[in-house]
């Protein structure tokens, strides 16, 4: 009895053919400023306006929240926004990027815990996180006009001329 010759499948070469350069999103520096800096400035302005209203007599001074919002935008928001842009650069669907920025905004609420985890302070997490998520998502949506798709196949054809 003879052993049949093993069959070779050509699925591996197909995978190798599809590993060429992929299209990616490219955001200008103006787009990044609109997507990250503008929502952080708006969040700080909202806290300042709330601090100036007469409700500060009953609620108390909101200046520590202003510091938390500013530091969370700089220490947490900036690196995470840059990381999200880099990780999702080959995802050409803008809605995925908008959702990533909303998730980054949700992390802003967790910075409230740096002020201390006792008492009513943990209740401020959604009061900071949800508006930050909405503003960050709106900022990324507004920056969509500063984003363009870089197609490596189209740019490779223009280099030959």
């Amino acid at each position: 009895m003879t052993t049949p010759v093993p069959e070779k499948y050509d699925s591996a070469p197909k995978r190798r053919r599809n590993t060429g350069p992929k299209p990616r999103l490219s955001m200008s520096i103006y787009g990044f400023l609109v997507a990250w800096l503008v929502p952080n400035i708006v969040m700080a302005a909202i806290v300042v306006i709330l601090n100036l209203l007469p409700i500060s007599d009953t609620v108390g001074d909101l200046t520590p929240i202003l510091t938390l919002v500013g530091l969370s935008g700089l220490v947490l928001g900036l690196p995470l926004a840059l990381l999200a842009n880099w990780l999702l650069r080959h995802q050409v669907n803008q809605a995925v990027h908008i959702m990533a920025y909303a998730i980054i905004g949700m992390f802003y609420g967790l910075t409230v815990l740096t002020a201390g985890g006792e008492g009513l302070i943990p209740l401020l997490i959604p009061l900071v996180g949800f508006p930050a998520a909405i503003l960050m998502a709106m900022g990324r949506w507004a920056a969509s006009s500063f984003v363009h798709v870089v197609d490596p196949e189209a740019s490779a054809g223009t280099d030959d001329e």
Side-chain angles (χ1 to χ4, degrees):
M1 183 174 240
T2 62
T3 306
V5 176
E7 295 181 27
K8 292 185 179 181
Y9 297 105
D10 59 345
S11 61
K14 288 180 185 176
R15 283 188 296 229
R16 280 188 221 117
R17 275 185 253 134
N18 293 336
T19 59
K22 299 177 187 175
R24 64 179 176 84
L25 286 184
S26 177
M27 179 187 289
S28 69
I29 189 68
Y30 301 115
F32 187 72
L33 290 177
V34 168
W36 173 77
L37 186 61
V38 171
N40 284 296
I41 290 173
V42 169
M43 283 184 271
I46 289 171
V47 173
V48 167
I49 290 170
L50 287 175
N51 202 18
L52 295 175
L53 292 176
I55 63 164
S56 64
D57 296 336
T58 58
V59 175
D61 189 27
L62 298 177
T63 307
I65 293 178
L66 180 64
T67 306
L68 285 173
V69 167
L71 285 176
S72 64
L74 186 62
V75 174
L76 187 70
L78 180 62
L80 285 179
L82 290 171
L83 182 67
N85 285 346
W86 182 75
L87 287 176
L88 298 174
R89 68 187 179 275
H90 294 295
Q91 178 62 255
V92 294
N93 188 356
Q94 296 277 347
V96 173
H97 292 263
I98 293 170
M99 290 302 297
Y101 270 68
I103 291 170
I104 291 168
M106 293 295 268
F107 285 133
Y108 280 31
L110 294 177
T111 60
V112 172
L113 293 177
T114 60
E118 65 276 348
L120 296 175
I121 290 179
L123 295 176
L124 294 176
I125 293 172
L127 292 177
V128 173
F130 290 143
I134 292 169
L135 287 171
M136 290 292 286
M138 287 175 58
R140 180 58 179 88
W141 176 68
S144 296
S145 61
F146 294 103
V147 176
H148 64 279
V149 177
V150 177
D151 191 11
E153 294 172 2
S155 63
T158 58
D159 291 340
D160 295 336
E161 295 176 3

